[in-house]
Amino acid sequence: MIHRSLVRALIASVALAAGALLAGCNSDEISLASNAKANQPVPPKLIAEMVAKDMDLQSPILIRLFKQEAELEVWKQDRSGRFALLKTYPICRWSGDLGPKVREGDRQAPEGFYAITPAQMNPQSAYYLSFNTGYPNAYDRSLGHSGSELMVHGDCSSRGCYAMTDEQIAEIYALGRESFFGGQKSFQFQAYPFRMTAPNMARHRNNPNMPFWKMIKEGYDHFEVTRQEPKVDFCEKKYVFDAMKPADAKRDPVFEASAKCPAYIVPEELAQAVREKQEADQAEFVKMVEKGTPVARLNSGVDGGMHKVFAAKLPNGNTGLSEGGQGLALLTLSKPPGTIPPTVNPPRGPVTSPDEPLAASLAPSTSAVRVAAASPPDNQPQSTQSEGFFSSLAQKMGFGSAAADTTASAAQPASAKPKVTDAKPRSEASKTSAAKADTKQASAHPTSKPTETAAAAPAPAPSQGNLVAGAQPVLSTNSFESRYSAMK
C-alpha cells in the first residue's frame, strides 16, 4: 500500500511538471507542487489502522464534526463498501454558539452538510493547512445567510472556523488528498451542534434552533443506519436525504433549494430503518423529559469551545461550551495531540460545561481583531486565486474547468468570488506589523508554520437575536469529473 502511494506521488509530480510547462513554467504552480506541508504522507500508524480495518489508503472518506463534544471524526470506506470510523480528532478551538451560521461576522461556525472538492483544499493557508467547508450551501443561500472563508484549519485559532492543531490538520489534509487521488470527486462534511442522541436532544429541547437540528438529524440517522454517505438535496428551503425518482418517473427529480419539491421517494427499506431508529430515539427522549432532564441554558455569553485535552494544558483553561470540563487536572500530565500555540485564546466565561450554572453577568471583550489573509499575487488570475492546487492542476492537464456549479455561480458573481484564505484574529498591538506581514505573505511562499506577533484577544460574544447564527462562505464547488483518472 505504501509503495503504491509513492508511485502515485511520483506520477502526480510528473503530471504537475507537465502542467507547469504548458502554463509557461508558472512559478506559483511549481511552489505548490513542492509544498512540503501539503504533501506529507499519511503516518504509518494510521496506515496500519487502515489495514486492520480492511481499508485502502485511497478509498473515500467522510467527516463528521460535533461542537459540544469538540470532536472531528474521519470515516473511511472499507472493502465492503461501508464507512467505518478511522480516527477521532479532538477540536482545539471553535467559536460562537451552538447553532448554524446566519450572517457574516457573527463568529458562528457552520452546521449542516457540505461537499468538499479539491478546489476547496488550501495548501498555502495562513493556518498551516486548511480546507473550505463550502458554506454557504444551497440551503443557506435560500435563507439569505451570509459568510465567507469558513475553514477547518490548524493553529488552534477560530473566528467562525474549526481549528485543529497543525499536526492534526496535516493528517486530515493528507487523508482528503489521498481520497481525491483515489477518484473521490468530493467528500462529505457533516457539522452538528452535538451528537444527535436522545439525551442531547432532551437537554436542548427549548433551543430555538431545534427545528433546524431535527432536520439535519434526518441525515445523521440515514448515515447511522446505513453507514453510507447520504445523498443530499434541497427544496422548499429544507434538506432532503437519499431522494430517488418514483418508479413511474422517466427522469431523475430536479431539486432547487427555493423551489417546490419535485416528486421523489426514499427507498422503502432505508425509510423503514430510519423510522425505527427515530421511534426509538423519540421514546428515549420522552423518558428523559419525564424524569426531569435539566434544560441547557441559552444565551450563555461564552464564545465557543475547546476539547478538554487542550483546555487542561492552559492556565485557567476552560472548555467553554464543549462538554467534559470537569476533571481537567487529571489531564495535565497527558500529552496533547499536537502543538498548542502560545497565542491560543481559550473560551472565556465562568463555566466549564454546558450544564453548569452561569454567573449573573459576563463582560465581553471589546479588543479589536484583525483579519490576516494570505492572498495570491495581484497579477494572478482570480480563478487561480480562489482555487487550490488540485483544481489548478486539473485545468492545466485539460481535465475540465474548475468553475462553480450553475447554482453557486448564480448566487456568487465571479467578481465577488472569495479567496481561499483564513480570517485570523490579531491583537491591537500587532496591527501595524501584521499589515506589513500580510503584504509580504501575499507574494512569498509559506513557512513550515505561520507565526503570530502577539496573543489574540477574545472577541465579543455572538448576538442571540436570531434563531440561527453563523460563519463564512464557500468556494465554488467543482464537479472534478474524471479528474486524476490516470493516476489511480
Side-chain angles (χ1 to χ4, degrees):
M1 182 181 294
I2 298 175
H3 176 71
R4 185 166 67 245
S5 177
L6 293 175
V7 171
R8 191 274 305 150
L10 179 60
I11 294 174
S13 298
V14 173
L16 180 61
L21 290 173
L22 292 173
C25 296
N26 185 303
S27 60
D28 291 319
E29 294 301 323
I30 294 175
S31 71
L32 287 175
S34 60
N35 187 325
K37 295 181 296 181
N39 286 288
Q40 292 178 69
V42 177
K45 184 176 181 180
L46 203 53
I47 292 179
E49 189 70 18
M50 295 180 202
V51 173
K53 295 182 177 181
D54 200 29
M55 301 168 175
D56 292 317
L57 174 62
Q58 295 181 351
S59 68
I61 67 167
L62 179 147
I63 291 179
R64 298 200 307 179
L65 182 148
F66 307 95
K67 289 180 178 178
Q68 183 173 285
E69 291 81 1
E71 291 182 342
L72 180 151
E73 299 175 341
V74 175
W75 293 70
K76 198 164 180 64
Q77 195 176 71
D78 61 25
R79 292 192 178 101
S80 74
R82 289 165 59 88
F83 280 87
L85 181 61
L86 174 62
K87 186 171 180 178
T88 299
Y89 296 86
I91 298 172
C92 197
R93 190 71 167 89
W94 60 273
S95 65
D97 202 348
L98 300 181
K101 183 173 185 63
V102 172
R103 66 184 184 280
E104 183 87 46
D106 61 7
R107 293 185 62 84
Q108 284 294 110
E111 294 174 8
F113 288 69
Y114 301 87
I116 313 302
T117 68
Q120 290 162 239
M121 306 289 280
N122 185 6
Q124 290 189 314
S125 173
Y127 296 82
Y128 194 71
L129 291 168
S130 67
F131 65 82
N132 193 308
T133 62
Y135 177 93
N137 61 20
Y139 165 82
D140 302 316
R141 292 193 299 270
S142 73
L143 297 178
H145 293 175
S146 62
S148 60
E149 301 169 8
L150 285 236
M151 309 282 179
V152 175
H153 57 64
D155 205 44
C156 195
S157 175
S158 173
R159 191 184 179 196
C161 298
Y162 293 107
M164 319 301 292
T165 61
D166 292 353
E167 292 86 348
Q168 288 179 310
I169 194 61
E171 281 191 18
I172 297 166
Y173 191 99
L175 290 169
R177 180 196 68 218
E178 293 301 322
S179 76
F180 291 139
F181 279 118
Q184 189 174 20
K185 297 177 182 179
S186 65
F187 64 83
Q188 192 170 90
F189 175 72
Q190 305 175 6
Y192 300 98
F194 39 73
R195 297 187 187 278
M196 310 301 277
T197 62
N200 279 336
M201 299 295 277
R203 280 195 292 270
H204 296 279
R205 60 188 179 272
N206 69 330
N207 194 295
N209 290 304
M210 186 55 69
F212 171 75
W213 291 341
K214 287 181 177 179
M215 180 175 62
I216 62 173
K217 182 181 182 296
E218 184 86 13
Y220 177 94
D221 292 340
H222 277 232
F223 181 73
E224 286 290 301
V225 302
T226 66
R227 289 293 186 257
Q228 299 287 347
E229 177 182 304
K231 177 177 173 288
V232 180
D233 290 296
F234 312 97
C235 61
E236 298 178 7
K237 299 182 180 181
K238 66 181 182 181
Y239 279 83
V240 176
F241 299 99
D242 290 316
M244 294 179 60
K245 65 181 180 181
D248 57 348
K250 295 182 179 180
R251 62 189 182 95
D252 291 332
V254 177
F255 289 88
E256 295 182 14
S258 297
K260 182 179 179 180
C261 292
Y264 71 88
I265 63 169
V266 176
E268 181 54 35
E269 184 178 356
L270 170 58
Q272 179 61 31
V274 170
R275 279 195 299 270
E276 291 175 357
K277 179 184 184 305
Q278 292 178 341
E279 289 170 0
D281 289 346
Q282 181 62 22
E284 185 178 0
F285 173 88
V286 171
K287 289 180 181 179
M288 298 287 293
V289 173
E290 288 177 345
K291 74 176 184 180
T293 297
V295 175
R297 182 162 181 175
L298 300 175
N299 304 323
S300 66
V302 180
D303 180 24
M306 168 181 278
H307 196 279
K308 61 184 179 181
V309 301
F310 300 114
K313 297 298 180 181
L314 302 175
N316 301 315
N318 194 313
T319 57
L321 296 175
S322 293
E323 64 183 14
Q326 299 294 338
L328 294 182
L330 300 177
L331 295 172
T332 55
L333 298 179
S334 63
K335 183 178 180 181
T339 303
I340 305 175
T343 55
V344 65
N345 178 25
R348 300 298 182 189
V351 299
T352 56
S353 168
D355 298 321
E356 291 184 18
L358 290 160
S361 64
L362 295 171
S365 168
T366 57
S367 301
V369 294
R370 175 176 175 80
V371 175
S375 303
D378 292 338
N379 61 353
Q380 190 174 349
Q382 180 66 25
S383 61
T384 305
Q385 290 180 15
S386 61
E387 294 168 2
F389 153 62
F390 294 101
S391 180
S392 299
L393 172 59
Q395 294 181 61
K396 296 290 193 301
M397 296 300 294
F399 290 124
S401 170
D405 58 52
T406 55
T407 303
S409 296
Q412 290 183 305
S415 61
K417 193 174 183 181
K419 301 183 183 70
V420 187
T421 55
D422 307 300
K424 185 172 184 176
R426 296 292 179 92
S427 67
E428 184 70 28
S430 65
K431 277 189 174 181
T432 303
S433 60
K436 296 179 181 179
D438 290 346
T439 303
K440 292 182 180 179
Q441 190 177 21
S443 58
H445 300 318
T447 58
S448 59
K449 177 174 171 59
T451 59
E452 187 167 54
T453 56
S463 170
Q464 299 296 325
N466 297 294
L467 296 187
V468 287
Q472 290 179 316
V474 35
L475 278 193
S476 48
T477 55
N478 195 330
S479 66
F480 194 60
E481 191 62 33
S482 303
R483 207 168 283 187
Y484 299 105
S485 59
M487 304 176 191
K488 293 180 183 178

